[in-house]
Amino acid sequence: KNSGEGWLTIPEPTKNLVGGKALWDDLMYHIAEPFTILASSSLYNDAVSPLIFCSDRTSTVLQTNNPLGDGLIPSTAVGTGDAVEVFRFRVRDPGTTDGLPTIITQLVFRSFGLPTDVSLSKAIKGLVLRQGDELIPISSTTITSNTITISLAIGTLVVPDGEELEVSLGVYLKEGGQIDGSTINLYIPASSHGWQTSSNGSGFLTVFEASVVGPVFIIDVNATSLTFVEQPFISDPDNAFELKVAATDLYGNVDKIVDGSATLSLDFGPGSYLVNSHSTQFQNGIAVWDDMYLNSQGRYRFNATTVFDETANAFTQDIWNGLGFTCMYNENFDAGYPESFPYSSHWDVS
């Protein structure tokens, strides 16, 4: 034995070379752990075996017997208490020979890759893992655009020898940045699955019996507010400008399938304004007024209103309307820049 804490039984430590090879076919190791064996000879260099696992490598992940249906994830589900179960699966230890449990230390889930699937790292804030009604503590998580990796402390999730457990995964979302109608569809591939176990118990098959595919969950934005998403801060009477207001939830996510219209009015300003229609329909969650003129110089602010479950409104930032003019200036500052530019004594260069 070269490494390992257990006792290696070798009935005949010395073997003769036959055809250039020595064969030991009756070895026995007495602890379930990885170990290595050393072979030595006075005539040749020593040889150390690769790591040998003294346990079954037959555990697997399977489809649940109680499958989830497709569903919705509200865009306002942003905490652990709001987590939505999106994946359910079984872990089986077939109890082949070793009498040991399967001690899971790493779980990996991948995005199935539907055209509507969202980047997992942009959408998901956190995870909840459960066995039945019991929470499973998570040591750490790594979320990329298409992969979720969960690390568990040894002993956190253990499948007894010859048994199986059903486990579920829930997700909750980031505040803002969600795309209405995008999807989360997770699966566990049969090969290159990335699942790991403690060396003190049974291990997983290198290739599972089949991939485990979860249901499709749609991120659902339900508008409750209005938010101006485009406006000028300076305008002039000779040129039209546009305002855009979005139908959003509490976190600014846009509801792309909202029905209805928004109505524009002047909150304050020294004059009036011209627009083709004060009321405009939402399209992909956005209402647009693209032909607006202000007829007087000064400071303006506009208000948009609509009705969702309740009345919602939003105000623009102040818009300054003035006469257009051209200010010529020299950008060649190799020899220093002038103390003031034409028509202004307040410009500076850095």
Side-chain angles (χ1 to χ4, degrees):
K1 182 184 73 172
N2 180 65
S3 68
E5 299 298 324
W7 179 259
L8 178 64
T9 301
I10 311 175
E12 295 182 58
T14 302
K15 291 280 189 175
N16 294 323
L17 293 173
V18 178
K21 297 179 182 179
L23 175 63
W24 291 269
D25 57 3
D26 49 3
L27 305 181
M28 183 175 293
Y29 196 69
H30 296 272
I31 295 180
E33 65 172 8
F35 68 98
T36 57
I37 294 175
L38 172 68
S40 61
S41 169
S42 60
L43 299 177
Y44 307 105
N45 293 331
D46 293 350
V48 178
S49 73
L51 199 62
I52 301 170
F53 292 89
C54 185
S55 58
D56 296 333
R57 320 301 291 176
T58 54
S59 297
T60 191
V61 177
L62 303 166
Q63 290 280 5
T64 176
N65 292 322
N66 304 292
L68 291 169
D70 295 343
L72 301 175
I73 306 175
S75 59
T76 52
V78 297
T80 55
D82 306 317
V84 176
E85 184 184 8
V86 298
F87 199 84
R88 193 181 291 172
F89 58 95
R90 290 179 294 148
V91 186
R92 175 184 293 170
D93 181 317
T96 309
T97 61
D98 60 15
L100 297 172
T102 300
I103 306 168
I104 302 170
T105 58
Q106 179 171 289
L107 304 81
V108 180
F109 306 88
R110 304 187 191 280
S111 177
F112 193 74
L114 297 176
T116 53
D117 277 354
V118 71
S119 167
L120 300 177
S121 58
K122 291 182 179 180
I124 297 174
K125 179 181 179 181
L127 309 167
V128 174
L129 202 61
R130 293 181 181 273
Q131 180 193 336
D133 295 329
E134 298 295 323
L135 281 174
I136 300 171
I138 295 175
S139 294
S140 66
T141 61
T142 301
I143 303 176
T144 68
S145 61
N146 59 5
T147 304
I148 295 171
T149 303
I150 299 175
S151 296
L152 302 178
I154 292 176
T156 302
L157 180 57
V158 179
V159 184
D161 185 56
E163 298 184 22
E164 67 179 36
L165 299 178
E166 183 162 282
V167 183
S168 68
L169 175 69
V171 304
Y172 54 97
L173 304 178
K174 293 182 176 179
E175 298 94 336
Q178 304 299 335
I179 301 173
D180 191 25
S182 60
T183 56
I184 294 176
N185 181 207
L186 301 178
Y187 85 115
I188 302 168
S191 60
S192 302
H193 51 71
W195 285 55
Q196 297 179 9
T197 61
S198 168
S199 58
N200 294 324
S202 301
F204 283 116
L205 291 165
T206 302
V207 178
F208 293 150
E209 299 170 14
S211 297
V212 180
V213 181
V216 177
F217 275 79
I218 300 172
I219 296 176
D220 181 41
V221 180
N222 185 19
T224 57
S225 307
L226 288 176
T227 304
F228 275 99
V229 294
E230 186 174 319
Q231 68 154 87
F233 292 97
I234 297 174
S235 65
D236 71 77
D238 296 329
N239 293 295
F241 64 91
E242 70 178 19
L243 297 176
K244 293 183 181 181
V245 73
T248 61
D249 66 8
L250 176 64
Y251 302 107
N253 301 302
V254 179
D255 183 348
K256 291 188 174 183
I257 60 172
V258 67
D259 292 325
S261 61
T263 301
L264 189 70
S265 61
L266 181 64
D267 185 45
F268 64 74
S272 60
Y273 68 98
L274 297 175
V275 68
N276 283 339
S277 176
H278 295 282
S279 182
T280 184
Q281 295 291 122
F282 289 107
Q283 295 185 13
N284 289 322
I286 306 292
V288 181
W289 297 270
D290 60 1
D291 53 356
M292 295 187 62
Y293 291 86
L294 301 177
N295 64 3
S296 299
Q297 297 182 56
R299 183 165 60 102
Y300 292 77
R301 188 171 74 179
F302 290 88
N303 177 32
T305 60
T306 192
V307 176
F308 298 125
D309 292 336
E310 298 179 353
T311 299
N313 62 4
F315 295 91
T316 64
Q317 299 292 316
D318 292 353
I319 300 172
W320 294 86
N321 188 53
L323 295 175
F325 65 92
T326 302
C327 174
M328 302 299 296
Y329 61 91
N330 180 6
E331 295 185 20
N332 182 6
F333 300 127
D334 290 344
Y337 61 89
E339 293 183 0
S340 63
F341 288 80
Y343 306 108
S344 173
S345 60
H346 304 290
W347 288 25
D348 201 356
V349 173
S350 61

